[in-house]
């Protein structure tokens, strides 16, 4: 973010369209930060059935569903989230699956190395 407002609704539509046509079934755009920053926010669109394979959590993270319905799995019980729901991502390895065409906002604050 460069200090200017961003239209997340428009971004959601554009990324959903990109995910629909992508072989992987997903598309993403980092709206703030990056790999070098402590705080990173990324909008991720997933076609229904697509997901993010199991991976480590690099720090504190939250997941906000902007559109659709997703399932977050970890060693704890799976959590299903719908539009407007926010969840703190578990610290352990986890995966994300879109139960229908979905768009989420992932916010991560990396732990110091």
């Amino acid at each position: 973010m460069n200090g200017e407002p961003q239209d997340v609704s428009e971004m959601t539509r554009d990324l959903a369209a990109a995910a629909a046509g992508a072989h992987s079934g997903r598309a993403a755009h980092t709206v703030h930060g990056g790999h070098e920053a402590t705080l990173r926010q990324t909008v991720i669109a997933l076609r229904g059935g697509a997901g993010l394979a199991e991976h480590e959590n690099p720090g504190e993270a939250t997941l906000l569903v902007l559109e659709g319905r997703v399932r977050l799995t970890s060693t704890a019980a799976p959590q299903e989230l719908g539009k407007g729901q926010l969840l703190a991502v578990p610290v352990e390895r986890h995966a994300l699956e879109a139960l229908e065409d979905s768009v989420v906002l992932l916010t991560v604050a990396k732990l110091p190395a």
Side-chain angles (χ1 to χ4, degrees), residues 13-108:
R13 287 189 300 275
D14 292 348
L15 287 172
H23 177 70
S24 65
R26 60 183 188 241
H29 178 72
T30 298
V31 293
H32 178 77
H35 292 291
E36 71 289 344
T38 300
L39 179 65
R40 182 175 68 232
Q41 291 184 295
T42 306
V43 177
I44 305 167
L46 299 166
R47 186 172 58 221
L52 302 175
E54 188 174 278
H55 57 280
E56 297 292 336
N57 187 341
E60 291 184 59
T62 61
L63 187 70
L64 172 64
V65 180
L66 301 173
E67 293 291 337
R69 188 156 193 77
V70 298
R71 178 184 299 124
L72 185 80
T73 56
S74 66
T75 56
Q79 297 279 334
E80 288 191 11
L81 302 163
K83 183 176 180 175
Q85 291 188 299
L86 175 72
L87 179 71
V89 177
V91 176
E92 66 264 5
R93 290 180 65 80
H94 58 277
L96 183 67
E97 176 189 7
L99 301 175
E100 58 189 48
D101 291 353
S102 301
V103 182
V104 299
L105 174 66
L106 175 65
T107 301
V108 177

